[in-house]
Amino acid sequence: MRRYTRTLGRLWSASLFAEMEYRTNFVVAALNGIGTLAGTIFTLSLFYRDGFLIGGWVWTQALFIIGCFTFLDGFQAAFLGPNFQRFSEYIREGTLDFVLLKPIDSQFFVSFRNLSLWGIPNLVLGPLLILYAGFRNDPPVPLVDYLVGALALGLGTVMLYAMGFFLVTFTIWFVKLWNITIALQSIIQAGRYPISSYPPAYRFVLTYLVPVLFLTTVPAEAFSGRSETVWILGAAGLATGLLLACRLFYLFALRSYTSASS
Amino acid sequence: MRATLRKANTYLSVQYAAMLEYRMEIFLWAISTLLPLIMMGPWIVAGESGRFPMDAAGFARYFIAAFIVRQFTLTWVIYEFEFQVVSGRLSPYLLHPVDPVWRFVAAHLGEHLARLPFVIALIAAALALFPQALYDSGGGLWLPPMERIILTIFGIYGAFTLRFVIQYSLALLAFWFERVSAFDRLVMIPYYFISGLIAPLEVMPEEVQAVILWTPFPYMVWFPARLLSGGGGLDPWRGFAVVGLWIVGLTLLNRLLWRRGLKHYSAMGA
């Protein structure tokens, strides 16, 4: 376990040092995070003119969902994006061989090797917005709801990772497929609004085909103290199932990996 | 004139053939631009409440039109150009008798063409999801009149030209800076939120609209999408005039950057 945390520390500081070469990028990344959040809140406010409630949610409750989305978006940009892109390079160039030889779990290594600074602003801004919405909420959110919400958001993060990794595993067979994660990323955009704000056909897709419901709606409900235990248990079950599925699928796919030379 | 046409034809067919190799990738890229169709969902529900300047069918038409516009205005020249400058691959192209920009333009147009089958399939899916978009308030079939379709085509290519000139001008900064694609990310933020991609201008506060209409952003999505979906107090000629002014101004800037940049490039000895 300690070996894993130490390896992570080294890998991430190496990633950040590499990005230090382009120092203006730090400023651009911060502006990017702040600008995107401002734009998202502006767009949300357009729904609230003239007394309309999006999906029946009041303003602070909707801010929770934006906070959850921003956090997941940051996680996606910091970890999933750069590592999954790298993964398709390993397959194309056959360098996955070297990863497999390392004395560390290969799925762990390929999933978390890189840390991109583009995601970091959102990883910070998301929780800050959740805290702000918690103070503004009427009544202010008690500590226990923060804990349940954080748990639900953590489960959402696990699900997002598992779904992404499941899809990227397909590149072992169809080398040039990492774009599939971009497609997933685009559907996740639907998580900016509560599931109840969509027409029925959308709700079906966002619940059963791509469980966006569990990524942002369920955690946001937990933060605003409206969640039921059954939803959290469901999220825990689904997260475990998806994680297990992506692990088994990866191990199965590795059997078909033939490296570049053979 | 004939020689130019022949060159254009060759460039386009070569780039179209090259793009057909990547059909699967282009399909996934098309999926990745679903944003307007996703935003259509909450706005249809909002439109049903009757508290907004458009009804549900109006929102549906608008977002389907915005999706179409987006498909034919996607631009990625900055990534290609940045790579070519940093890796030095631009050099052989400079020896060609044709300005390298035309190669990029042809590649974009070829990609849009290769994308067409997927776009038609996705539009059909969107209409299946919300067939009310095809009926007018009287229950008859709603179709944009012919002259609006023609205006839309001009609007879309105006939007593409505008977007391309902006991105290509930023790309030219690659002669001086590395990683210029970061600049485009910054430009993309207002593009996402005020171009009309995720909300039509009509639902924004009037003061905000008035400011936004002076920027080039709404002419990249909202203006052509409105031409197609109709409605709104839109003055097409004023819109085209603004698009034209932006294109002329930015093209002048672009050519200036190109001349200065080329000198800088050869001075580097790359």
Side-chain angles (χ1 to χ4, degrees):
Chain A
M1 187 65 206
R2 249 197 77 206
R3 186 154 54 108
Y4 280 76
T5 47
R6 263 184 49 205
T7 317
L8 267 191
R10 294 272 160 80
L11 290 173
W12 289 354
S13 54
S15 298
L16 286 181
F17 277 129
E19 302 240 27
M20 291 274 229
E21 267 205 60
Y22 308 96
R23 243 155 301 176
T24 33
N25 265 8
F26 281 85
V27 181
V28 177
L31 287 176
N32 185 52
I34 293 168
T36 307
L37 183 59
T40 305
I41 294 177
F42 168 69
T43 313
L44 181 70
S45 75
L46 297 178
F47 285 99
Y48 283 87
R49 297 177 65 208
D50 206 14
F52 179 75
L53 297 181
I54 190 164
W57 289 33
V58 299
W59 175 249
T60 46
Q61 290 168 345
L63 284 184
F64 282 121
I65 206 169
I66 303 271
C68 294
F69 174 80
T70 305
F71 178 80
L72 288 178
D73 197 40
F75 176 74
Q76 195 283 126
F79 298 105
L80 305 192
N83 286 297
F84 289 176
Q85 185 172 3
R86 193 79 169 244
F87 187 72
S88 83
E89 277 168 35
Y90 291 142
I91 303 292
R92 205 175 57 228
E93 294 164 13
T95 43
L96 188 64
D97 298 10
F98 307 131
V99 178
L100 292 174
L101 289 174
K102 285 187 179 32
I104 195 165
D105 184 74
S106 64
Q107 182 177 354
F108 173 79
F109 186 82
V110 297
S111 305
F112 293 107
R113 180 203 170 140
N114 286 91
L115 167 69
S116 164
L117 90 121
W118 285 98
I120 293 172
N122 279 351
L123 283 175
V124 179
L125 289 170
L128 280 181
L129 182 63
I130 291 172
L131 281 178
Y132 169 77
F135 286 122
R136 282 284 309 275
N137 199 46
D138 186 32
V141 169
L143 184 66
V144 57
D145 283 347
Y146 277 119
L147 293 179
V148 180
L151 173 69
L153 186 56
L155 291 171
T157 316
V158 171
M159 282 184 240
L160 181 61
Y161 163 76
M163 282 191 288
F165 195 76
F166 194 92
L167 288 179
V168 86
T169 302
F170 278 103
T171 41
I172 291 184
W173 290 287
F174 312 99
V175 182
K176 289 203 80 178
L177 212 66
W178 80 273
N179 270 336
I180 202 164
T181 55
I182 298 191
L184 175 75
Q185 191 187 324
S186 139
I187 296 170
I188 302 295
Q189 300 281 330
R192 283 201 172 109
Y193 306 103
I195 207 91
S196 53
S197 68
Y198 288 93
Y202 282 71
R203 281 186 223 170
F204 179 82
V205 173
L206 299 177
T207 307
Y208 297 105
L209 296 184
V210 191
V212 172
L213 164 70
F214 286 99
L215 297 187
T216 55
T217 301
V218 168
E221 278 176 343
F223 278 117
S224 50
R226 294 175 299 148
S227 77
E228 287 162 42
T229 322
V230 56
W231 282 107
I232 307 290
L233 287 178
L238 190 62
T240 319
L242 284 172
L243 201 59
L244 215 61
C246 89
R247 177 68 179 174
L248 291 175
F249 187 56
Y250 175 70
L251 292 178
F252 170 72
L254 273 189
R255 283 198 269 163
S256 311
Y257 175 67
T258 48
S259 111
S261 51
S262 46
Chain B
M1 184 65 198
R2 276 211 19 224
T4 315
L5 278 180
R6 236 185 46 223
K7 272 181 215 148
N9 191 19
T10 314
Y11 263 55
L12 277 176
S13 39
V14 167
Q15 297 288 355
Y16 175 62
M19 287 300 164
L20 282 186
E21 289 241 354
Y22 300 102
R23 261 165 300 183
M24 188 64 198
E25 290 208 304
I26 288 179
F27 171 65
L28 290 170
W29 278 117
I31 296 271
S32 74
T33 53
L34 282 180
L35 191 60
L37 296 185
I38 293 175
M39 291 307 300
M40 187 171 107
W43 281 116
I44 283 178
V45 175
E48 280 164 356
S49 77
R51 293 172 196 247
F52 291 88
M54 292 153 76
D55 61 356
F59 275 120
R61 268 178 226 141
Y62 174 80
F63 280 108
I64 291 172
F67 172 74
I68 296 172
V69 171
R70 176 111 169 92
Q71 294 304 318
F72 296 104
T73 53
L74 279 172
T75 319
W76 32 266
V77 63
I78 196 159
Y79 299 96
E80 184 74 23
F81 192 82
E82 180 187 59
F83 170 71
Q84 294 199 353
V85 169
V86 174
S87 66
R89 292 198 192 191
L90 183 68
S91 307
Y93 293 134
L94 292 176
L95 295 175
H96 288 222
V98 181
D99 190 313
V101 68
W102 298 114
R103 181 181 296 271
F104 298 127
V105 172
H108 280 75
L109 296 178
E111 193 233 13
H112 296 163
L113 208 59
R115 192 186 274 272
L116 200 58
F118 307 120
V119 175
I120 293 173
L122 285 169
I123 295 169
L127 288 174
L129 214 59
F130 199 77
Q132 290 93 317
L134 278 177
Y135 298 98
D136 61 24
S137 47
L141 196 62
W142 180 89
L143 279 177
M146 201 58 205
E147 68 266 18
R148 290 205 82 119
I149 294 181
I150 294 169
L151 280 180
T152 306
I153 294 173
F154 280 104
I156 286 179
Y157 282 97
F160 170 65
T161 313
L162 189 55
R163 176 89 185 93
F164 186 89
V165 174
I166 291 179
Q167 208 190 49
Y168 191 54
S169 304
L170 289 171
L172 291 176
L173 297 177
F175 288 126
W176 293 274
F177 306 96
E178 288 174 80
R179 291 223 186 167
V180 282
S181 50
F183 295 135
D184 191 57
R185 282 201 188 215
L186 284 187
V187 174
M188 281 304 272
I189 296 171
Y191 173 80
Y192 267 115
F193 295 107
I194 63 173
S195 69
L197 205 57
I198 57 182
L201 258 62
E202 288 80 3
V203 300
M204 298 180 187
E206 289 195 354
E207 317 81 70
V208 178
Q209 282 185 44
V211 175
I212 289 176
L213 279 171
W214 287 103
T215 70
F217 297 105
Y219 303 95
M220 296 185 208
V221 178
W222 172 80
F223 174 61
R226 258 285 159 261
L227 283 175
L228 184 60
S229 62
L234 183 72
D235 180 357
W237 304 116
R238 195 185 148 217
F240 279 115
V242 178
V243 175
L245 279 176
W246 274 109
I247 290 176
V248 170
L250 288 165
T251 306
L252 289 175
L253 177 72
N254 180 290
R255 290 296 90 189
L256 186 77
L257 284 172
W258 172 250
R259 291 220 187 99
R260 291 269 172 98
L262 268 191
K263 279 183 198 146
H264 201 79
Y265 183 62
S266 43
M268 275 200 320

